[in-house]
Amino acid sequence: MKRIYLFLLFIVTIYAQGIVAQDTTSFLDRAEQYIRIQRFAAAHKVYQDAIQTIGFQPIVICPMVENVLKHHFWQQDFSIFYLADSITNQHQINPANLNHIEIVSFYFPDRVLKKAIERYPQYAMTYKLLGDYYRLKIELKSNSENREEEKSATLQEKVFNLYYKATQLGFSSTEVNRWLGQYYFDHHQYKVAKQFLLNNDINPNPDAISFLYLSKIFYQEKQYSQAYNYALKALQNQNQLSLYSLYQATHLAAQSLYNLGEESRFLDYILSCIQLFPDNPEAYLDLFTYYEETEKIDRIKDFIRQLLMNNPYDEASFKYLEKFCVKYHEYEFGISLFEDMMVQYEYSDEAMGNIYRFRGNLMFHQGDTEQAKKFWDVSRSYFIRYLPEDHPKLKQIGDISQESTRK
């Protein structure tokens, strides 16, 4: 009799589990359908109904919290998150349509996830989503004027620990691999960073940012062919890149080709860099090195004029101009360029301070010490308008004479 009872209990248990699994699938499918048509509040209610039916299960808790973190249109102190239906722009609500919008609130997603982790410590997705919650705090705080670096660093460590735990439990996603790769890269642990980023190279969906960081790592390792290949992969998916990331990938491709001896292709990429950011000195300085090696001095003059007319604030660019004029005895070119810059930037104290400082340096190199001192005095008069009297830059002006004396 006892055996029959246990057998019947087993059959009932299996049957009940089947019903629960069927109910769970039904709830999840319905919620996903709502999310696809941007009915985020309706999806949230489905998840709540699922919890009432099958209990506090991570298979429901995780997609519910993910919906909240991804699709909320407003949050208060990272404690209350609001979801709505029928919003084309998640951050704007048209007052005329308020009567047709359903809004729900959700409190303390972090506490819900921590409870899920406590009950189901082997469920990887809960760790990942709690990491997402802290990432959201970092991103929103970074846009705040009251950002506290120390707190942001602490939050970043929390994200790292949670994401890493998720991967230990078998979780893998493009987003997490990329984040961990960037984290290790920023902490100069390039081999570990490469391991996570390479996971995204075998994914069916290409990830341009992962390719960009792999290019950086291989370039640092002087594996220039690999660096170029990954820069090219990033550029092939440039719709995923910000404008500056596009510049970085292009620059890495140029640098890699230069080291591989591909001069004509290097020129194509480095000129594309300059076209993207005409005021960024980094690519110009690489180009100047190449033109010096190939003795194309007139090309240097063209591009150094372009650089300084676009950016009269970068000290390294002025220093290069100074060395160029001294090395090739192009003082007249330098003076002419300074005169043109003075017309364009007479309103800018910093630009004028730089112009007179390095104009004084050129006069000193030509042996006209008195005129050089006059220009340096004028330079200080511009800088003193916005710098404190003890600022190091003021002491650097005219320091060239002391260096020359020591020589």
Side-chain angles (χ1 to χ4, degrees):
M1 190 74 181
K2 185 176 180 182
R3 288 182 179 179
I4 294 173
Y5 171 77
L6 291 173
F7 176 74
L8 290 174
L9 180 63
F10 173 74
I11 295 297
V12 169
T13 302
I14 294 298
Y15 180 72
Q17 287 176 344
I19 293 176
V20 169
Q22 186 175 4
D23 285 345
T24 303
T25 302
S26 175
F27 281 121
L28 295 179
D29 287 346
R30 189 145 47 99
E32 288 174 6
Q33 288 173 10
Y34 280 136
I35 289 172
R36 279 197 292 271
I37 60 174
Q38 298 190 345
R39 293 194 61 190
F40 306 123
H44 186 74
K45 287 187 173 183
V46 173
Y47 289 129
Q48 288 180 318
D49 291 342
I51 293 172
Q52 294 298 317
T53 303
I54 66 174
F56 189 85
Q57 299 291 328
I59 195 172
V60 178
I61 296 299
C62 286
M64 179 180 70
V65 175
E66 186 174 37
N67 180 40
V68 169
L69 296 179
K70 280 187 176 180
H71 302 131
H72 66 278
F73 68 88
W74 183 46
Q75 59 81 24
Q76 259 186 306
D77 300 323
F78 304 99
S79 300
I80 313 173
F81 290 74
Y82 296 89
L83 295 161
D85 283 349
S86 304
I87 296 179
T88 55
N89 185 328
Q90 296 170 28
H91 302 289
Q92 294 180 1
I93 298 178
N94 185 348
N97 296 327
L98 284 178
N99 292 333
H100 306 288
I101 295 174
E102 185 173 15
I103 296 176
V104 297
S105 59
F106 184 70
Y107 285 72
F108 307 115
D110 55 324
R111 295 182 188 178
V112 173
L113 290 168
K114 287 176 182 177
K115 181 184 287 188
I117 288 171
E118 184 179 341
R119 292 189 183 183
Y120 305 96
Q122 299 305 308
Y123 202 85
M125 188 65 177
T126 51
Y127 296 93
K128 188 266 181 184
L129 288 171
L130 188 55
D132 290 347
Y133 170 80
Y134 289 123
R135 270 184 68 187
L136 183 66
K137 292 185 79 170
I138 294 171
E139 290 164 5
L140 293 180
K141 284 178 179 293
S142 69
N143 295 326
S144 168
E145 294 180 0
N146 298 321
R147 182 186 183 190
E148 298 180 46
E149 295 291 342
E150 187 174 337
K151 288 185 179 179
S152 292
T154 302
L155 288 172
Q156 192 175 50
E157 287 301 311
K158 287 184 177 181
V159 175
F160 168 75
N161 290 328
L162 289 160
Y163 278 1
Y164 189 75
K165 178 66 175 179
T167 62
Q168 286 184 312
L169 291 171
F171 181 85
S172 180
S173 74
T174 299
E175 176 190 10
V176 169
N177 287 329
R178 182 201 310 129
W179 194 93
L180 288 171
Q182 289 177 297
Y183 178 90
Y184 279 113
F185 181 91
D186 291 340
H187 288 76
H188 309 293
Q189 297 183 49
Y190 302 120
K191 288 185 178 180
V192 186
K194 191 196 299 184
Q195 292 172 7
F196 282 102
L197 294 167
L198 283 172
N199 288 335
N200 286 347
D201 193 22
I202 59 177
N203 287 344
N205 298 319
D207 184 62
I209 295 297
S210 295
F211 297 149
L212 175 60
Y213 274 84
L214 283 167
S215 179
K216 292 179 181 181
I217 293 170
F218 281 115
Y219 186 82
Q220 287 184 344
E221 294 175 346
K222 298 184 178 181
Q223 298 186 50
Y224 300 120
S225 292
Q226 287 282 64
Y228 171 74
N229 289 336
Y230 279 107
L232 190 60
K233 281 189 173 186
L235 292 172
Q236 288 168 344
N237 298 278
Q238 60 182 265
N239 60 309
Q240 301 176 23
L241 299 174
S242 68
L243 195 58
Y244 185 66
S245 294
L246 176 61
Y247 165 84
Q248 286 184 307
T250 307
H251 191 214
L252 281 163
Q255 290 177 307
S256 301
L257 289 167
Y258 176 82
N259 283 283
L260 290 168
E262 298 275 357
E263 294 183 359
S264 61
R265 296 174 68 202
F266 157 77
L267 274 177
D268 289 339
Y269 279 97
I270 207 70
L271 292 174
S272 294
C273 290
I274 289 172
Q275 187 174 1
L276 277 170
F277 284 94
D279 64 338
N280 189 334
E282 183 181 41
Y284 284 94
L285 295 173
D286 288 344
L287 183 61
F288 297 155
T289 299
Y290 168 74
Y291 279 142
E292 284 201 58
E293 290 174 352
T294 55
E295 299 182 347
K296 295 179 180 178
I297 307 307
D298 288 338
R299 297 297 288 154
I300 295 177
K301 290 162 68 174
D302 292 339
F303 280 101
I304 201 167
R305 172 177 285 275
Q306 179 178 322
L307 169 59
L308 285 168
M309 291 300 290
N310 278 290
N311 182 356
Y313 306 106
D314 181 66
E315 190 172 301
S317 301
F318 280 98
K319 287 183 175 179
Y320 179 83
L321 172 64
E322 178 185 345
K323 291 179 181 178
F324 173 80
C325 291
V326 172
K327 181 176 180 179
Y328 296 102
H329 302 283
E330 289 283 354
Y331 295 108
E332 289 186 9
F333 163 74
I335 293 168
S336 174
L337 175 55
F338 285 143
E339 289 175 350
D340 291 342
M341 292 175 68
M342 289 168 67
V343 174
Q344 184 166 325
Y345 291 102
E346 60 179 341
Y347 64 88
S348 170
D349 292 334
E350 184 175 358
M352 294 297 286
N354 284 329
I355 291 167
Y356 275 103
R357 174 187 172 185
F358 286 92
R359 193 171 181 179
N361 289 2
L362 291 186
M363 297 307 298
F364 179 84
H365 286 298
Q366 294 178 84
D368 194 341
T369 306
E370 291 303 315
Q371 188 61 46
K373 288 179 180 178
K374 290 178 182 179
F375 283 144
W376 290 332
D377 287 340
V378 175
S379 174
R380 291 188 192 93
S381 72
Y382 277 106
F383 284 122
I384 202 67
R385 293 178 184 179
Y386 69 94
L387 293 177
E389 293 182 359
D390 60 346
H391 195 278
K393 183 181 282 288
L394 296 172
K395 297 177 181 179
Q396 294 168 5
I397 298 170
D399 191 53
I400 182 173
S401 60
Q402 298 175 21
E403 293 175 359
S404 298
T405 301
R406 283 196 294 270
K407 291 176 183 178

